[in-house]
Amino acid sequence: AVKIAIDTGYRHIDGAFVYYNEHEVGQAIREKIAEGKIKREDIFYCGKLWNTCHPPELVRPTLEKTLKILQLDYVDLYIIELPMAFKPGDALYPKDENGKFIYHETDLCATWEAMEACKDAGLAKSIGVSNFNRRQLEMIMNKPGLKYKPVSNQVECHPYFTQPKLLEFCRQHDIVIVGYSPLGTSRDESWVNVSSPPLLKDPVLNAIGKKYNKTAAQIALRFSIQRGVVVIPKSFNPQRIRENFQIFDFSLTEKEMKEIEALNKNVRYVELLM
């Protein structure tokens, strides 16, 4: 999937230690570099600090572990995956005997300072956050002695969850919103709220798609990009990987943008119940 994506023209790869696939992703990137198809600096790789690694002394070793798995010298962006922490240790989802998550008291500002040190050490070109609300962003930005502010905030964002307030706040502070689940998401009940209808069946997206001879998915992606939201659609299907990339040969009108904005339901597919 990664090799097809690179051949198609994708350059931003959104990864995470907790996805259990950094080994394969790193291998694909290195093979494409060896082929002469790309150089390392053409790729923008995003890695993530997992919830069990928030204590400051764990941040750099965790990133170094990711780099070792990827067999790369640096990541382009390293982000705190969630603003809450789990108990540190080998279990990625630590639970007590009742099956309840074991949390860990965390100082996000101290975690952020350790992230800043990773940037200074050249292990990450940029640092950011994910799933942070305005209050949590302000906590870091107002931190005494702040060296680098977050460059990005990765959050769920799509026509049914447009995040207008957060988008505006981040715009004012030059923080890029990276929208995950930009096509809605899979219908996996174990982590997805399936009470909301599937985004890609939406009549408005499909009707606009007909006009441009595009799919509902392509319309949803184009909508986000025109709002200044970075999209990270996920697919393993070669045809869809290519389709998701074919959104640069048309533009939505202002009227269409407003019609799609009006679809907002303010409801998350990914509720992050933990």
Side-chain angles (χ1 to χ4, degrees), residues 41-138:
E41 55 269 28
D42 297 332
I43 291 290
F44 185 91
Y45 185 87
C46 169
K48 302 189 185 84
L49 181 78
W50 182 238
N51 309 0
T52 52
C53 310
H54 280 208
E57 67 278 6
L58 296 180
V59 173
R60 180 168 175 163
T62 304
L63 173 51
E64 284 171 341
K65 192 171 175 182
T66 272
L67 291 172
K68 195 175 165 194
I69 295 169
L70 289 165
Q71 291 180 42
L72 297 175
D73 297 329
Y74 65 90
V75 294
D76 298 271
L77 176 63
Y78 198 52
I79 62 180
I80 300 175
E81 192 156 353
L82 282 154
M84 35 73 66
F86 288 157
K87 178 187 152 195
D90 292 334
L92 290 181
Y93 295 92
K95 290 181 176 171
D96 64 18
E97 59 278 9
N98 302 316
K100 295 260 193 297
F101 285 109
I102 307 171
Y103 297 100
H104 183 72
E105 198 164 307
T106 187
D107 174 0
L108 279 175
C109 290
T111 307
W112 187 253
E113 283 171 10
M115 297 281 285
E116 291 177 324
C118 289
K119 176 172 156 62
D120 282 337
L123 301 177
K125 299 268 187 204
S126 290
I127 50 177
V129 297
S130 180
N131 298 303
F132 273 49
N133 61 26
R134 175 179 175 155
R135 185 176 57 84
Q136 292 152 344
L137 285 168
E138 284 178 334

Side-chain angles (χ1 to χ4, degrees), residues 129 137 141 149-154 166-167 169-178 228:
V129 297
L137 285 168
M141 293 192 309
K149 66 172 194 189
V151 298
S152 61
N153 184 18
Q154 186 180 127
L166 188 62
L167 185 57
F169 174 78
C170 287
R171 266 198 196 122
Q172 287 166 1
H173 295 278
D174 286 330
I175 297 170
V176 175
I177 288 272
V178 178

Side-chain angles (χ1 to χ4, degrees), residues 5-246:
I6 290 172
D7 286 340
T8 301
Y10 288 81
R11 293 296 178 261
H12 174 177
I13 298 171
D14 181 69
F17 175 71
V18 81
Y19 297 165
Y20 293 116
N21 62 4
E22 288 193 314
H23 174 269
E24 291 80 1
V25 173
Q27 188 182 333
I29 293 170
R30 293 193 314 277
E31 284 178 19
K32 282 291 157 194
I33 292 171
E35 274 174 34
K37 174 83 188 170
I38 49 164
K39 299 188 186 75
R40 167 63 186 97
E41 55 269 28
D42 297 332
I43 291 290
F44 185 91
Y45 185 87
C46 169
K48 302 189 185 84
L49 181 78
W50 182 238
N51 309 0
T52 52
C53 310
H54 280 208
E57 67 278 6
L58 296 180
V59 173
R60 180 168 175 163
T62 304
L63 173 51
E64 284 171 341
K65 192 171 175 182
T66 272
L67 291 172
K68 195 175 165 194
I69 295 169
L70 289 165
Q71 291 180 42
L72 297 175
D73 297 329
Y74 65 90
V75 294
D76 298 271
L77 176 63
Y78 198 52
I79 62 180
I80 300 175
E81 192 156 353
L82 282 154
M84 35 73 66
F86 288 157
K87 178 187 152 195
D90 292 334
L92 290 181
Y93 295 92
K95 290 181 176 171
D96 64 18
E97 59 278 9
N98 302 316
K100 295 260 193 297
F101 285 109
I102 307 171
Y103 297 100
H104 183 72
E105 198 164 307
T106 187
D107 174 0
L108 279 175
C109 290
T111 307
W112 187 253
E113 283 171 10
M115 297 281 285
E116 291 177 324
C118 289
K119 176 172 156 62
D120 282 337
L123 301 177
K125 299 268 187 204
S126 290
I127 50 177
V129 297
S130 180
N131 298 303
F132 273 49
N133 61 26
R134 175 179 175 155
R135 185 176 57 84
Q136 292 152 344
L137 285 168
E138 284 178 334
M139 196 162 80
I140 288 186
M141 293 192 309
N142 299 332
K143 182 185 92 59
L146 180 74
K147 223 172 171 183
Y148 309 111
K149 66 172 194 189
V151 298
S152 61
N153 184 18
Q154 186 180 127
V155 294
E156 180 176 345
C157 193
H158 47 73
Y160 283 177
F161 193 54
T162 53
Q163 299 265 26
K165 284 182 176 165
L166 188 62
L167 185 57
E168 186 45 43
F169 174 78
C170 287
R171 266 198 196 122
Q172 287 166 1
H173 295 278
D174 286 330
I175 297 170
V176 175
I177 288 272
V178 178
Y180 67 73
S181 302
L183 303 175
T185 187
S186 73
R187 309 295 283 174
D188 180 342
E189 292 186 18
S190 67
W191 59 279
V192 172
N193 170 8
V194 291
S195 66
S196 279
L199 178 70
L200 300 184
K201 296 247 164 68
D202 189 89
V204 174
L205 296 179
N206 282 281
I208 295 173
K210 276 207 174 69
K211 174 184 157 185
Y212 292 102
N213 200 18
K214 295 285 180 184
T215 64
Q218 288 167 318
I219 299 301
L221 294 175
R222 180 73 209 177
F223 166 75
S224 287
I225 278 185
Q226 277 186 224
R227 298 174 78 218
V229 172
V230 173
V231 287
I232 44 173
K234 172 175 140 186
S235 178
F236 296 101
N237 175 313
Q239 187 193 336
R240 288 205 197 111
I241 288 172
R242 292 186 192 102
E243 256 177 25
N244 289 343
F245 198 74
Q246 289 159 355

